[in-house]
């Protein structure tokens, strides 16, 4: 880099950095720096959502915790806007910002299993697949999300739903400790015993409290194979099927986790050719109990009506974790929103079915995740994450490739979510559009926990250095 670098200040103005400032930072790093014009810059500024096209002022490729602390202190001391990138999969694209300094953890993906303690430690840039590859061959698993390329950090910091959540809780319910670089550049350990207020806040409060350089999770046994139901029902029977899905899941054992997925039938040989691309309701479910019982336990989900196709099989859990990876490529255009459903009555189901039929893009989905089980047994005050009592999560995912249809797709997702609002409460911050609702979104997500979160924020980040996120600002 030669000359000056123009960056965005913390308050949205401009900061000029001299070459000597950057040299001083670079000298102390084990990782490296990327700036506009650097040959690796363009690839590094891109995140998973192709809609996001930000041009950071500087990207700090961290190799270790000391690099993270140096980058935090540099941003603070030079009054530069700061973003933190874990897996880069945040739908709102908050990992990058125009003119910002990005703390990029993509080089910190190490994972270490302690079989004796039944824990696994993942660095702050690890992807779900990194954890799965280290744990599944040992017959152990952490409850994570449903697509293996998602970042562990973002997913965990806002909760973390997946195929094991009804059995073992949210990802945060399995967090034992974390190492956090605070706004002061200090490294703190957060756990039930150390900095317990910080530990409470990072379990749902997002990246507001510091940069998490590693997460320690509790491990659970997982059978070598699980039953994985994928049953396709025609859209014109969706209302009936959804009612039966609801009734079964409201009394299903915790071993069963299911998602009702309005989508398009994929062009697979096992699906009748005339149905390829047709709108369908897919009931996807995992039974993570003993495999010898699984087929019987999930049988009702395969008989909710006459299916178009039934792709149910007994597979390694790692295959389930990767089953949807190909459907979510990097660079596609995405806009996702969500809301919790307190009930799933017929008129709500009819609304969901109608919006599924009106999808502007065949790649888009309308989803009903079943919650409950272990998620609901943790009190709302136990972690910053709130809204645990809802039995279902409604998510609308607009996914499309043609930039010319961006407006239409976003409008469809907003309409569907807006229309469902009368039946819903709260929102899941990992599927929260662009966070357009600001304060109202935070209130909806955290409920009464928001005030306590602000108090913890005031203690650990009083100047709101970590604001490139769904920002919980300290009290004025
Ligand atoms: P990033 O974009 O890297 O980061 C998002 C934000 O998190 C950053 O802006 C920052 O504020 C914060 N952050 C990231 N890393 C750190 C860190 N180390 N320390 C402090 N703050 C940090 N969610 C579910 O619950 N269940 C699912 O099954 C699920 N499936 C998904 C599938 C796909 C294809 C995608 C794209 C997302 C899915 N999600 C799911 C949502 C996902 O949890 C969020 O998008 C999450 O933000 C991704 O985390 P990330 O680290 O990749 O994000």
């Amino acid at each position: 880099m030669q000359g000056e670098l123009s960056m965005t200040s913390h308050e949205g103005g401009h900061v000029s950095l001299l070459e000597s400032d950057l040299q001083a930072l670079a000298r102390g790093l084990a990782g490296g720096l990327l700036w506009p014009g650097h040959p690796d810059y363009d690839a590094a500024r891109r995140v998973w959502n192709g809609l996001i096209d930000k041009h950071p002022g500087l990207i700090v490729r961290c190799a270790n915790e000391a690099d993270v602390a140096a980058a935090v202190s540099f941003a603070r001391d030079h009054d530069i806007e700061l973003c933190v990138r874990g897996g880069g999969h945040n739908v709102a694209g908050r990992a990058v910002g125009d003119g910002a300094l990005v703390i990029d953890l993509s080089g910190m993906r190490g994972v270490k299993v302690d079989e004796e303690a039944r824990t696994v430690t993942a660095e702050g840039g690890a992807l779900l697949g990194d954890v799965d590859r280290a744990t599944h061959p040992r017959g152990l698993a952490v409850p994570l999300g449903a697509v293996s390329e998602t970042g562990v950090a973002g997913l965990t910091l806002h909760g973390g739903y997946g195929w094991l959540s009804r059995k073992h809780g949210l990802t945060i319910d399995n967090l034992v400790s974390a190492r956090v670089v605070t706004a002061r550049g200090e490294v703190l350990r957060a756990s039930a015993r150390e900095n317990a207020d910080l530990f409470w806040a990072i379990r749902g409060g997002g990246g507001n409290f510091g940069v998490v350089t590693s997460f320690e999770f509790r491990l659970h046994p997982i059978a070598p194979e699980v039953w994985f139901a994928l049953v396709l029902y025609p859209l014109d029977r969706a209302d009936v099927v959804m009612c039966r899905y609801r009734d079964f899941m409201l009394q299903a054992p915790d071993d069963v986790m299911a998602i009702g997925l309005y989508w398009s039938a994929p062009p697979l040989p096992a699906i009748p050719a005339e149905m390829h691309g047709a709108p369908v309701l897919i009931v996807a479910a995992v039974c993570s109990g003993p495999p010898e019982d699984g087929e019987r336990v999930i049988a009702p989900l395969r008989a909710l009506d006459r299916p178009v196709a039934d792709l149910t099989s007994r597979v390694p859990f790692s295959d389930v974790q990767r089953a949807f990876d190909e459907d979510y490529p990097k660079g596609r255009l995405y806009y996702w929103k969500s809301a919790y459903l307190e009930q799933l009555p017929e008129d709500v189901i009819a609304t969901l079915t109608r919006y599924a039929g009106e999808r502007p893009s065949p790649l888009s989905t309308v989803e009903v995740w079943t919650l409950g089980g272990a998620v609901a047994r943790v009190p709302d005050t136990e972690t910053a994450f709130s809204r645990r009592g809802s039995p279902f999560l409604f998510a609308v995912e607009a996914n499309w490739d043609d930039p010319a249809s961006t407006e239409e797709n976003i409008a469809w997702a907003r309409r569907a979510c807006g229309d469902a609002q009368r039946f819903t409460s709260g929102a899941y911050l990992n599927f929260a559009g662009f966070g357009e609702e600001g304060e109202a979104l935070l209130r909806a997500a955290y409920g009464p926990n928001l005030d306590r979160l602000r108090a913890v924020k005031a203690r650990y980040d009083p100047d709101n250095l970590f604001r490139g996120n769904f920002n919980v600002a300290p009290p004025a």
Side-chain angles (χ1 to χ4, degrees), residues 48 84 86-90 94 105 146 151 153-155 161 210 212 369 428 430:
W48 164 83
V84 182
H89 262 56
N90 184 247
R94 296 292 167 98
L105 301 178
L155 176 120
Y161 287 115
V212 179
W369 294 50
Y428 180 41
N430 272 335

Side-chain angles (χ1 to χ4, degrees), residues 47-48 83-91 93-96 105 124-128 144-147 149-162 206-208 210-213 215 328 334 336 369 397 428-431 468-470:
V47 289
W48 164 83
C83 293
V84 182
R85 178 189 180 123
H89 262 56
N90 184 247
V91 188
R94 296 292 167 98
V96 285
L105 301 178
L127 307 184
L128 308 193
L144 296 167
V147 172
E149 288 158 1
T150 313
V152 168
L155 176 120
T156 304
L157 292 168
H158 276 135
Y161 287 115
N208 277 289
V211 185
V212 179
T213 53
F215 297 87
Y328 295 97
Y334 301 96
W336 299 359
W369 294 50
E397 293 185 0
Y428 180 41
L429 289 178
N430 272 335
F431 308 147
N469 43 44
F470 293 136

Side-chain angles (χ1 to χ4, degrees), residues 36-70:
H38 188 286
D40 297 336
Y41 170 83
D42 215 40
R45 76 180 179 85
R46 292 278 175 193
V47 289
W48 164 83
N49 187 352
L51 268 187
I52 309 298
D53 185 19
K54 302 281 184 189
H55 291 79
L58 189 63
I59 299 173
V60 184
R61 290 220 136 146
C62 297
N64 55 36
E65 194 170 73
D67 284 2
V68 175

Side-chain angles (χ1 to χ4, degrees), residues 160-162 165-167 170 245 249-250 252-254 256-259 339-342 368-376 385-394 428 431:
Y161 287 115
S165 23
R166 280 171 46 80
K167 188 168 182 175
L170 297 167
Y245 163 85
M249 286 310 297
L250 283 174
D254 293 353
V256 182
M257 166 68 193
I259 307 175
Y340 292 106
L341 295 169
E342 299 311 321
V368 177
W369 294 50
T370 308
L371 310 180
V375 176
F385 185 95
S386 183
R387 311 289 184 193
R388 288 170 172 274
S390 305
F392 298 104
L393 176 71
F394 158 66
Y428 180 41
F431 308 147

Side-chain angles (χ1 to χ4, degrees), residues 82-337:
L82 181 65
C83 293
V84 182
R85 178 189 180 123
H89 262 56
N90 184 247
V91 188
R94 296 292 167 98
V96 285
D98 285 328
L101 181 151
V102 174
I103 296 187
D104 181 350
L105 301 178
S106 58
M108 293 174 60
R109 289 172 55 182
V111 175
K112 211 168 154 196
V113 176
D114 183 337
E115 277 191 74
E116 218 171 284
R118 283 277 171 105
T119 57
V120 59
T121 302
E123 283 191 296
L127 307 184
L128 308 193
D130 296 329
V131 176
D132 290 344
R133 276 188 292 277
T135 56
H136 292 183
R138 295 169 151 102
L140 298 166
V142 183
L144 296 167
V147 172
S148 81
E149 288 158 1
T150 313
V152 168
L155 176 120
T156 304
L157 292 168
H158 276 135
Y161 287 115
W163 294 116
L164 300 179
S165 23
R166 280 171 46 80
K167 188 168 182 175
H168 297 302
L170 297 167
T171 306
I172 47 167
D173 298 332
N174 296 280
L175 188 65
V176 177
S177 73
R179 288 176 67 86
V180 185
V181 175
T182 67
R184 281 193 282 270
E186 290 173 309
V187 181
L188 297 181
R189 205 176 118 95
S191 70
R193 293 215 193 102
E194 300 137 288
N195 303 298
D197 54 350
L198 181 61
F199 188 54
W200 177 86
I202 61 170
R203 285 177 295 158
N208 277 289
F209 304 90
V211 185
V212 179
T213 53
S214 70
F215 297 87
E216 182 193 6
F217 297 107
R218 194 172 306 115
L219 285 162
H220 300 275
I222 184 89
E225 290 187 331
V226 297
W227 276 91
F228 183 33
L230 274 177
V231 193
L232 283 71
Y233 296 98
L235 191 69
D236 60 7
R237 296 292 296 163
D239 287 358
V240 172
V241 172
M242 251 311 178
C243 287
R244 294 175 183 161
Y245 163 85
R246 170 200 63 200
D247 295 345
F248 174 75
M249 286 310 297
L250 283 174
Q251 47 75 50
D254 293 353
D255 281 348
V256 182
M257 166 68 193
I259 307 175
L261 202 60
Y262 292 90
W263 211 353
S264 307
L268 299 174
I271 298 174
E274 68 277 13
M275 286 304 292
H276 291 179
V280 286
L281 172 62
I282 303 177
V283 173
V286 168
C287 180
S288 52
E292 54 281 12
D293 295 341
E295 188 171 20
R296 177 185 53 77
V297 173
I298 58 164
L301 291 173
R302 305 172 68 185
L304 298 172
D305 202 59
R306 188 177 343 168
V308 170
D310 184 350
L311 313 180
T312 301
S313 58
R314 185 174 153 161
V315 292
F317 186 57
S318 332
D319 288 2
V320 178
Q321 288 291 93
R322 290 192 301 259
F324 295 105
D325 284 10
E326 275 183 17
D327 299 305
Y328 295 97
K330 185 173 178 181
R332 180 164 281 168
L333 310 173
Y334 301 96
Y335 181 85
W336 299 359
K337 281 183 99 65

